[in-house]
């Protein structure tokens, strides 16, 4: 037998042995059955879990409950929460002589609007072309307790000009603006007061009240 023929036979034998050794690995990883096995699916925490089990777990999760509505803002049910102070744009004004000797006048305002308003504190009264204004007489309720005027309702205040001591002056009109606890610009309301004597440091006015008797007796 020639040397070339011997080499060919030896090469064929080596190739056959190599194919035999690779056979089980290609047929299957476990036992060489040739049937691929299902590989597990990783779960949320890295653990193996099958597809159907993961779906069931997800569907069993508790449902979120609806968020309850927010409660109403504090004070929104208070009937007075939107009642603003009365200004001269909300009222009419009159002045009536009550006592000639002391030049006392009854001041009256009436709510001419369609909504309630509050008569705050004391009226602001000036005398004709004289400088200054009437001083406040007596205490006034706080803004929460101020007199509430429904449409058509009135409030009263007592104005005292003072006795004729020869040191004052006589005026024939007064002007009134309202206390509003704000910088609201108001148009003064005027009233005729024939022969009103204004004595320095003696003219005064009461806070707004709900009846004329109390306004004149303070």
């Amino acid at each position: 037998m020639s040397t070339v023929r011997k080499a060919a036979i030896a090469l064929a034998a080596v190739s056959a042995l190599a194919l035999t050794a690779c056979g089980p690995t290609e047929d299957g990883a476990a036992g060489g059955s040739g049937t691929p096995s299902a590989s597990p699916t990783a779960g949320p925490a890295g653990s193996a879990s099958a597809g159907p089990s993961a779906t069931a777990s997800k569907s069993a999760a508790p449902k979120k409950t609806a968020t309850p509505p927010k409660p109403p803002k504090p004070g929104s049910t208070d009937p007075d929460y939107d009642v603003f102070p009365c200004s001269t744009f909300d009222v009419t004004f009159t002045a009536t002589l009550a006592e000639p000797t002391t030049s006392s006048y009854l001041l009256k305002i009436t709510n001419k609007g369609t909504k309630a308003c509050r008569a705050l504190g004391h009226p602001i009264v000036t005398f004709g072309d004289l400088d200054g204004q009437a001083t406040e007489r007596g205490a006034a309720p706080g803004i929460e307790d101020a007199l509430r005027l429904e449409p058509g309702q009135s409030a009263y205040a007592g104005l005292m000009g003072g006795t004729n001591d020869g040191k004052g002056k006589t005026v024939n009109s007064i002007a009134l603006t309202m206390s509003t606890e704000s910088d609201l610009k108001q148009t003064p309301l005027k009233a005729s007061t024939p022969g009103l004597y204004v004595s320095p440091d003696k003219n005064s006015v009461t806070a707004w009240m709900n009846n004329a008797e109390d306004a004149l007796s303070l």
Side-chain angles (χ1 to χ4, degrees):
M1 183 179 296
S2 66
T3 302
V4 176
R5 183 182 179 92
K6 289 180 180 181
I9 294 173
L11 182 59
V14 172
S15 299
L17 289 175
L19 291 174
T20 303
C22 295
T25 302
E26 293 176 351
D27 290 340
S33 62
T35 304
S37 60
S39 57
T41 303
S47 60
S49 60
S53 298
T55 303
S57 176
K58 186 175 181 181
S59 62
K63 296 181 179 180
K64 293 183 179 180
T65 57
T67 303
K70 294 182 179 180
K73 292 182 178 180
S76 61
T77 57
D78 183 354
D80 293 335
Y81 82 100
D82 61 345
V83 178
F84 296 98
C86 302
S87 74
T88 56
F89 302 108
D90 303 311
V91 300
T92 58
F93 167 55
T94 61
T96 306
L97 181 63
E99 175 53 57
T101 305
T102 58
S103 288
S104 296
Y105 275 79
L106 177 66
L107 310 183
K108 176 184 177 181
I109 56 170
T110 302
N111 184 355
K112 66 178 182 179
T114 59
K115 296 179 63 176
C117 65
R118 287 190 180 278
L120 301 187
H122 295 71
I124 302 168
V125 180
T126 55
F127 301 95
D129 57 357
L130 300 182
D131 293 333
Q133 63 188 49
T135 59
E136 297 178 354
R137 184 166 81 251
I143 188 171
E144 297 85 0
D145 301 314
L147 191 61
R148 173 180 173 138
L149 298 182
E150 297 293 342
Q153 287 187 335
S154 300
Y156 306 86
L159 173 66
M160 180 178 290
T163 56
N164 191 339
D165 56 6
K167 299 179 181 179
K169 291 184 178 181
T170 299
V171 297
N172 294 318
S173 66
I174 59 174
L176 173 141
T177 54
M178 302 291 294
S179 174
T180 61
E181 297 290 334
S182 70
D183 57 356
L184 174 68
K185 299 295 183 181
Q186 301 181 67
T187 300
L189 301 177
K190 296 183 178 181
S192 177
T193 55
L196 172 62
Y197 186 79
V198 182
S199 178
D201 303 324
K202 293 183 179 179
N203 52 296
S204 59
V205 66
T206 68
W208 292 113
M209 302 183 182
N210 59 10
N211 66 82
E213 184 178 353
D214 288 345
L216 292 173
S217 62
L218 183 61

